[in-house]
Amino acid sequence: GRNLAVVSESYVNLSLNLGYHFNMIDAFVSDAREENHIYFRFLGGASNTDRRVRRALLVRDIMERLGFATRQSSDLVVARLRKLPRTATEERLRLIGRLIGFTRQLDALMDDEDTIARYAEAFFEGRPTPE
């Protein structure tokens, strides 16, 4: 297949092709705060470029609110986080998992710039959609 997971007690490297977008997570989590890191990559979609870019802006906004340093180019988002305590790092990984599910096929619904803020709020409120 198109998906790959390498998982141990402290490390995960996950490459997921979900529909037409690609996610990659590389993370190390331990009691040694200085060693903890998360690298996240998000790319692609089936919609036109404008909708894919809007979804990438949403992903970037959410990742930044979670404390990640981000870079974006078109529909590619790269986010990094380092040196958080174990529990905070684990919580960020859980939220990334939720984000991957939340944004699946969402590019098809990203009609205008206003959808970015509405979907970000829905994510942080734990709602599946902004309505």
Side-chain angles (χ1 to χ4, degrees):
R2 298 175 3 184
N3 299 312
L4 174 67
V6 176
V7 181
S8 73
E9 186 175 322
S10 300
Y11 177 75
V12 63
N13 185 291
L14 184 63
S15 297
L16 297 173
N17 280 312
L18 297 172
Y20 294 93
H21 75 270
F22 174 75
N23 296 280
M24 198 275 268
I25 301 167
D26 185 85
F28 185 81
V29 182
S30 73
D31 291 327
R33 178 183 181 145
E34 295 294 312
E35 297 176 8
N36 293 340
H37 75 268
I38 301 173
Y39 172 87
F40 176 71
R41 240 177 106 104
F42 180 95
L43 174 67
S47 292
N48 65 41
T49 302
D50 290 340
R51 290 172 188 255
R52 290 193 324 264
V53 169
R54 285 185 197 116
R55 180 172 57 177
L57 286 166
L58 170 66
V59 169
R60 187 187 78 195
D61 178 42
I62 291 171
M63 297 304 284
E64 287 177 353
R65 289 195 207 185
L66 294 174
F68 283 78
T70 65
R71 269 190 0 244
Q72 180 187 356
S73 177
S74 187
D75 63 345
L76 168 66
V77 177
V78 175
R80 296 175 189 267
L81 187 71
R82 298 181 50 209
K83 299 182 181 181
L84 286 182
R86 175 187 207 102
T87 56
T89 305
E90 289 171 341
E91 175 63 11
R92 295 313 188 287
L93 283 171
R94 186 186 71 73
L95 289 168
I96 288 172
R98 210 174 111 230
L99 178 64
I100 290 169
F102 182 83
T103 57
R104 187 166 188 249
Q105 299 178 339
L106 194 61
D107 55 332
L109 303 175
M110 304 294 288
D111 295 328
D112 55 45
E113 299 300 314
D114 294 336
T115 58
I116 298 166
R118 287 196 327 263
Y119 277 99
E121 292 312 311
F123 176 82
F124 283 107
E125 292 172 3
R127 293 182 286 127
T129 63
E131 282 61 75

